[in-house]
Structure formats: C-alpha cells, structure tokens
C-alpha cells in the first residue's frame, strides 16, 4: 500500500452513497432546503437505475412529501392500481382472499405500478436540475474517518489486475470528503455493514432479516394484459414452513412484472429460490398470462424483512444510514420505496439544520430520535409481528395470525406485544443429512428458463481482470462446512449461477464465476459461516437493468 499515489480529494457539504430512492430523495431535499449546499451522489451502476430492481407498486406518500406537484407533471408513475388481488395457492388450485378481510393497510388503492429504475432516473434529473452532482460508474469502496467521525468516502481504484497488480489503465480512486455522509446503498450495504459493526449500531436490536426477490419483466399479448392489476400470492410452490410469495403487476403498454420472494430464513439447503420462481410461473392461475409473450429482463436483489425491531441506530458521528441500508421495508405490504424516500428526507432535514448551525462531523441526533414517531415508524409498527408470526407458525396459521394482529394494530393494540426474530438468516440452515433433496422440473425455454440464459437478460458485465469482489475468508471452511455439511447451498441460492462445486480429482473445488454476479447480496447474507463477503467491484460493473 505504501507506494500507492496519494488520492485526489474533493470537499462537499454532503456526500451520498447510492442513487436509489433514498439517496436521491435526500439529495433533492437538501437542495430544496438550501440551494447553496454542495451535494454529491456516487452510484456504482453504470448509470442511475442500472442496479435498481424492485416490484414495484409504489405508495406515493414519500413522493407527495418530496415533490408535492408531481401529479401535474409527465412522470414514470403512469399506471394507477385498478384491481388488487391476494391468493393462497395449492399446486393446482387457488383461493382468492376477499379484499374486505384484508387489513386496510394492505390495500393498494391509490398506489402506482412503476419501474423503479425509471423512477430513479427521473428523480436524478430533478436532483441535477437543483444542482446535485451525480457520478454513476463510481463505487464507494471505503469509508474515510477523521478521528472517530466519518468524513466521507473514497471511490475504488480502477485498473487493478486479478492478482493486485496495477494495469496500464490504473487510476487511483478519489476521496470525496464531506461534513456529513449519508449511506443509501440499499439492502445489505457493504459500507453500511461495516458502519453497523464499527459503531455497534445493532446493539439491543433484533438481527436484520432478509428475503431474496427474483424478477422478470415480460411483454405479454394485448389480450392477456389487465392494466393496473396487482396480484400477490403465498403458498405453493413453497412448503408451509418456508416463507415467501409472488407478485404479478400489469402496467404501461402490455408490460407485466412477475417476481418471487423467498425469505432467507429457509432451512432446507437443497431449496433453490430461482427454481421455485420458475415453478411458480407454471401455476394454472398465472401461466396463461405469459402465453405468446416475451421475457425482456431478469434480475434479483435482496430485500430487508426485519422491520421495526431490526432497524439499527441510524446515526454516528459524521453520517447516517437511510433507506434499506437501515432496513425500512414493510414486509407484508412488500413496500420499502416510500419509507426509503421519507427517511432520505428526514435525514436531509436534520443535516441541513446542522449545517446552518455551523456543525460538521457530529451526530444528527434528530433523525435517530424522530423516525419512530414519523410516518415510517407508524407504518412499520403496525406490521411488526407479521414476519415473526409467519416464521414461528408457518404459512397458513402464521399469515392468519399476522392478519389478525395487523387488524388489532389498526385499532391501536396487539395481542403479541413486539415479537422477536431470533436467529440471523445465516444460522437457519439444517445440515443436508436432515433434509430431503428437492427435484425441480427442467425448464421448457418458453415459460421457464435456466439460470444462465436468465443472467444474460440482466446485461451483467464485469471487467474480468480485477481482484475478486466475492471474498471467501477461509476456503477450507467452505469445503468442510458449506460443502460437506450443507451440500453447497450457494450453488442454489445464488440467482446468477456464480457458485459451483466442481468434483475434481476426487475432491470438490469451489468455483466462483464472479463476472455473473448481479449484486443481489444473498451470499453475504445466507452463507452458513458468514465466510463470504461481497465488496464493490470496479465501478460500472454488475447488471445493466433497463427498467427493473
Ligand atoms: C423483488 C423486490 C420487489 C420489491 N417490490 C417493492 C414494491 O412493489 N414496492 C415498494 O415500495 N418496494 C418494493 N421493494 C423494496 C424497494 O425496492 C426498496 O425498499 C427500495 O428500493 C429501497 O431504496 P434504497 O434507495 O434504500 O435502496 P436501492 O433501491 O437498493 O438503491 C441503492 C442504490 O445504491 C447503489 N449502491 C449500493 N452500494 C453502493 C456503493 N458502495 N457505491 C455506490 N453506489 C452503491 C446501488 O447500485 C443502488 O443504485 C422490492 C424489493 C425487491 C428486491
Ligand atoms: S454472487 Fe452473491 S451477490 Fe452475486 S448474484 Fe450470487 S448471491 Fe448475489
């Protein structure tokens, strides 16, 4: 390290890591409050939206607060929800739950079906028009400190070869120094994870819980399209002890977003979230939607599921966590965008006030003390037991009790208090010897697909000659435990086929096809020994989602 050239440094009032809904809302709010502030956003995707993957049915409350005039403009929120359906599936049948039985907070009335990537590109234009500098293609790779306070981030060096040597294209990263730094990396942020550990932000909280969400975007035949139809299901193909479910959103001109979420506290190492998603599409309730249609895009991303009791302390000297880096996703509603936008605004307001008072590099305590009493806290409080009830009682009883508890919370009380989540998702797998292998049907290439042809549709691209961005701490442990005890679940939970155990010369070799990685972060969450760490690769690498 000693012979590395010094990094150039630039000074800002506020640096924001991540151009998702949280980061962009924070940037816009800061400039609305004080046009003179210097605000910069770094984004690891090749362009804003390139790494954004969501459902998405968006509750507009976050946007209403940020840009109250948005309804008078031409925006990517074009499709209002027209029909809201919720089903329980068996292998061949389906039972629609009447809307009147659903707790009112579950209603999608007034929400919009969107591509969140497109919404982020629109928000980025709004931010730039206010004078925010946005740098896509730059990953924040390191947190900078002054004493014990966060003082900005450094972008990663570019042009380093596989074995760490500097190539001709070598360029040293930049230091982006700031009075306050907001971390908006989304679920399982790499820098967020380091900050949570360093400042003990998760102390006294329940462990964060996660799901993996897989999604395809389809163009369907016009007679199969029901613009504004929003359909969710639970049950088949998952067994009753595995949490998760599907979403199917019809929007714009003949577009359908179809996706499947598997809660990452599943126990059977033979389960493959990808194959469960493919199987789901064959159900009689949905398969006809895709007849004659064309699959346009594929991708996957982790989402946070811990909710109210898992939100870490949000602030530390010099900065804060916002959006899903903190974990504001409302699980039963499958909605996090509104809270990501609201948290960006709350943090921005606390930062702007601190700057006006001449402060820097201290804690913006108002944000931490205020969120529970804000719309975010109210949204998450009412659903806080839905996930633990599902985990403890299985799908049918758990969802029933969760529904009852949400009704009670609507009336201001709970039968269960505040339930705990228990173990982190890395600790829930059973040894393979205690589980039954699952045999999945072969893809037909029309409705169901294999992993590699799917990854192709994510337009994923990484510079091949660069240091590995999937760091395995102890390869021997990976073999002894992940392979020998758990039968190599990484080969099944990774939605991009990055991990393979290849039998070679009487032994098993762990092969990592890092260039396929779609940055979903599941390996960082689910590896049973927490032996795999995802770090940002060279900026611009990863998926290039068109409109996910
Ligand atoms: C399958 C699925 C379906 C969902 N459905 C819905 C839905 O229907 N409605 C809803 O409201 N919510 C939904 N959500 C949740 C919603 O997408 C999230 O709550 C929301 O995107 C969180 O916003 P964010 O800004 O915190 O993070 P993200 O949207 O994840 O954005 C983070 C950004 O930061 C960038 N980044 C990360 N690390 C770095 C780094 N080190 N350097 C530079 N850039 C970095 C990323 O590339 C990304 O662009 C869904 C999520 C998934 C996965
Ligand atoms: S390697 Fe990890 S982060 Fe990348 S796609 Fe696979 S599971 Fe997701």
């Amino acid at each position: 390290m000693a012979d590395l050239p010094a990094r150039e440094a630039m000074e800002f009032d506020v640096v924001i890591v991540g151009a998702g809904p949280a980061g962009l809302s924070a940037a816009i709010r800061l400039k609305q409050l004080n046009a003179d502030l210097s605000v910069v956003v770094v984004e690891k995707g090749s362009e804003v939206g390139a790494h954004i993957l969501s459902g998405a049915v968006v509750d507009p409350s976050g946007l209403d607060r940020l840009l109250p005039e948005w309804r008078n403009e031409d925006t990517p929120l074009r499709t209002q929800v027209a029909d809201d359906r919720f089903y329980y599936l068996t292998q061949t049948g389906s039972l629609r739950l009447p809307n009147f039985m659903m707790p009112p907070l579950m209603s999608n009335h007034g929400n919009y079906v969107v591509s969140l990537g497109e919404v982020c590109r629109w928000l980025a234009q709004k931010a730039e028009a206010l004078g925010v500098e946005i740098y896509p293609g730059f990953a924040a790779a390191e947190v900078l400190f002054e004493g014990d306070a966060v003082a900005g981030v450094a972008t990663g060096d570019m042009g380093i070869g596989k074995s760490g040597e500097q190539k001709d294209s070598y360029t040293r990263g930049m230091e982006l120094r700031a009075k306050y730094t907001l971390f908006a990396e989304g679920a399982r942020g790499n820098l967020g994870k380091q900050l949570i550990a360093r400042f003990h932000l998760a102390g006294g909280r329940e462990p964060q819980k996660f799901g993996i969400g897989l999604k395809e975007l389809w163009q369907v035949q016009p007679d199969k399209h029901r613009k504004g139809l929003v359909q969710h299901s639970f049950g088949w193909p998952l067994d009753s002890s595995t949490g998760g479910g599907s979403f199917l959103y019809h929007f714009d001109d003949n577009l359908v977003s179809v996706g499947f979420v598997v809660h990452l506290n599943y126990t059977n190492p033979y389960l493959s979230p990808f194959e469960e998603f493919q199987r789901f599409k064959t159900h009689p309730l949905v398969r006809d939607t895709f007849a004659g249609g064309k699959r346009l895009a594929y991708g996957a991303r982790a989402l946070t599921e811990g909710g109210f009791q898992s939100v870490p302390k949000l602030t530390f000297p010099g900065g804060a966590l916002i959006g899903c880096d903190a974990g504001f996703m409302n699980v039963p509603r499958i909605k996090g965008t509104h809270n990501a936008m609201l948290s960006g605004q709350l943090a921005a307001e606390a930062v702007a006030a601190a700057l006006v008072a001449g402060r820097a590099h201290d804690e913006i305590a108002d944000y931490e003390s205020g969120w529970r009493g804000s719309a975010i806290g109210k949204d998450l409080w009412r659903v806080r037991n839905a996930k633990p009830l599902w985990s403890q009682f299985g799908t049918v009883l758990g969802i029933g009790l969760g529904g009852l508890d949400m009704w009670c919370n609507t009336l201001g009380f709970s039968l269960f208090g505040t339930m705990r989540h228990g173990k982190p998702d890395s600790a829930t797998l059973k040894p393979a010897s205690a589980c039954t292998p699952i045999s999945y049907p072969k893809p037909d290439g029309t409705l169901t697909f294999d992993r590699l042809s799917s990854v192709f549709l994510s337009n994923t691209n990484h510079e091949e000659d660069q240091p590995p961005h999937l760091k395995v701490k102890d390869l021997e442990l990976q073999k002894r435990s992940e392979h020998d005890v758990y039968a190599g679940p990484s080969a099944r939970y990774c939605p991009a086929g990055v991990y393979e155990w290849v039998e070679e010369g009487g032994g098993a070799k762990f092969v990592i096809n890092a260039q396929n990685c779609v940055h979903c972060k599941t390996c960082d969450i689910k590896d049973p020994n927490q032996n795999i760490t995802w770090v940002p690769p060279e900026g611009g690498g990863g998926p290039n989602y068109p409109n996910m």
Side-chain angles (χ1 to χ4, degrees):
M1 293 296 276
D3 58 349
L4 288 178
R7 283 188 286 224
E8 267 185 55
M10 287 166 83
E11 300 276 346
F12 298 90
D13 289 311
V14 186
V15 167
I16 298 171
V17 179
L24 292 167
S25 298
I28 291 171
R29 191 76 190 117
L30 282 162
K31 292 296 263 187
Q32 286 173 336
L33 291 168
N34 184 347
D36 295 332
L37 294 180
S38 56
V39 179
V40 67
V41 181
V42 280
E43 166 54 52
K44 68 180 165 63
S46 61
E47 60 165 349
V48 173
H51 289 183
I52 298 289
L53 181 140
S54 190
V57 172
V58 168
D59 166 347
S61 56
L63 192 54
D64 286 336
R65 191 178 186 278
L66 183 69
L67 300 167
E69 299 298 315
W70 70 270
R71 284 183 171 82
N72 303 327
E73 296 175 30
D74 184 17
T75 74
L77 289 87
R78 293 178 288 264
T79 306
Q80 238 190 314
V81 175
D83 191 0
D84 192 6
R85 299 172 178 222
F86 208 74
Y87 288 90
Y88 171 65
L89 303 186
T90 61
Q91 186 161 3
T92 50
S94 58
L95 176 71
R96 180 168 174 197
L97 307 187
N99 285 9
F100 70 81
M101 275 178 62
M102 307 294 288
L105 62 88
M106 292 292 287
S107 167
N108 276 307
H109 182 75
N111 295 336
Y112 290 79
V113 189
V114 300
S115 145
L116 193 59
E118 198 186 355
V119 170
C120 287
R121 281 197 289 276
W122 170 68
L123 288 174
Q125 283 169 13
K126 291 273 178 200
E128 280 176 332
L130 289 166
V132 174
E133 290 175 56
I134 302 181
Y135 295 120
F138 289 93
E142 188 186 326
V143 181
L144 301 173
F145 290 92
E146 268 179 33
D148 203 28
V150 169
V153 293
T155 61
D157 294 352
M158 313 274 264
I160 302 183
K162 263 196 177 81
S163 351
E165 77 285 5
Q166 294 175 13
K167 300 187 285 186
D168 291 346
S169 55
Y170 177 75
T171 322
R172 190 85 167 102
M174 291 275 297
E175 288 191 1
L176 304 173
R177 299 196 152 265
K179 294 176 181 142
Y180 293 98
T181 309
L182 299 177
F183 293 84
E185 302 159 283
R188 194 62 161 199
N190 172 252
L191 301 181
K193 185 175 144 184
Q194 293 172 32
L195 291 163
I196 288 169
R198 179 178 173 124
F199 292 107
H200 309 292
L201 303 178
R205 269 66 166 185
E206 285 295 291
Q208 186 54 273
K209 305 293 284 181
F210 295 90
I212 175 175
L214 304 106
K215 174 179 165 182
E216 293 174 355
L217 179 67
W218 282 70
Q219 184 154 44
V220 301
Q221 290 293 321
D223 63 320
K224 312 282 184 202
H225 197 249
R226 309 271 177 277
K227 191 168 177 167
L229 170 63
V230 162
Q231 192 167 299
H232 294 103
S233 75
F234 61 98
W236 190 86
L238 298 177
D239 65 29
S240 63
S241 61
T242 307
S246 76
F247 60 88
L248 191 87
Y249 304 151
H250 293 240
F251 70 118
D252 285 4
D253 292 332
N254 302 324
L255 293 179
V256 172
S257 288
V258 57
F260 203 83
V261 174
V262 176
H263 298 181
L264 284 176
N265 59 357
Y266 69 82
T267 56
N268 184 343
Y270 291 110
L271 183 138
S272 160
F274 176 85
E275 312 284 353
E276 297 293 345
F277 175 32
Q278 297 305 314
R279 267 213 297 199
F280 158 72
K281 285 184 291 169
T282 66
H283 193 276
L285 181 73
V286 294
R287 64 174 304 139
D288 187 50
T289 307
F290 307 104
K294 182 170 182 228
R295 191 172 70 140
L296 303 176
Y298 164 84
R301 179 78 174 95
L303 36 89
T304 58
E305 293 190 341
F308 195 91
Q309 49 275 63
S310 300
V311 173
K313 181 172 180 243
L314 301 174
T315 55
F316 40 83
L321 303 173
I322 59 177
C324 283
D325 225 350
F328 291 125
M329 164 95 182
N330 181 319
V331 185
R333 295 181 72 201
I334 330 183
K335 284 182 187 56
T337 307
H338 61 302
N339 286 339
M341 297 185 75
L342 290 169
S343 68
Q345 294 171 65
L346 293 182
E349 285 154 18
V351 166
L355 289 168
V356 164
R359 289 162 44 197
H361 299 141
D362 62 355
E363 227 167 299
I364 47 161
D366 289 355
Y367 172 47
E368 165 62 19
S369 61
W371 79 266
R372 287 179 188 80
S374 75
I376 306 172
K378 288 176 190 144
D379 186 56
L380 296 186
W381 177 252
R382 292 179 301 177
V383 303
R384 67 194 182 283
N385 292 324
K387 162 88 180 177
L389 284 167
W390 195 339
S391 305
Q392 277 188 32
F393 294 100
T395 298
V396 175
L397 184 57
I399 289 192
L401 291 172
L404 177 67
D405 194 55
M406 286 190 277
W407 268 111
C408 293
N409 273 286
T410 308
L411 304 172
F413 69 100
S414 168
L415 301 173
F416 301 99
T418 298
M419 293 177 72
R420 308 187 64 165
H421 290 302
K423 296 186 228 174
D425 295 330
S426 55
T428 61
L429 283 179
K430 291 181 181 159
S433 57
C435 299
T436 313
I438 307 174
S439 139
Y440 291 105
K442 285 216 156 23
D444 63 16
T446 311
L447 174 64
T448 58
F449 303 91
D450 65 19
R451 238 172 272 228
L452 286 185
S453 64
S454 300
V455 179
F456 181 75
L457 288 183
S458 67
N459 302 309
T460 297
N461 188 29
H462 287 96
E463 162 62 48
E464 285 204 21
D465 187 16
Q466 65 169 302
H469 77 278
L470 300 156
K471 310 251 182 226
V472 183
K473 223 182 314 168
D474 178 348
L475 266 175
E476 204 280 320
L477 173 65
Q478 203 65 12
K479 161 78 175 65
R480 177 164 35 90
S481 173
E482 209 253 350
H483 178 271
D484 293 356
V485 177
Y486 296 103
S490 56
R492 290 175 284 274
Y493 63 59
C494 173
V498 167
Y499 299 107
E500 288 177 88
W501 282 101
V502 178
E503 297 301 324
E504 212 180 59
K509 189 176 164 212
F510 197 43
V511 176
I512 305 178
N513 306 299
Q515 69 279 7
N516 282 357
C517 173
V518 295
H519 299 195
C520 75
K521 315 278 180 79
T522 302
C523 49
D524 195 286
I525 297 162
K526 187 63 179 167
D527 179 72
N529 303 296
Q530 288 286 275
N531 196 28
I532 303 180
T533 302
W534 182 99
V535 301
E538 245 183 40
N544 283 287
Y545 296 135
N547 273 318
M548 293 286 267

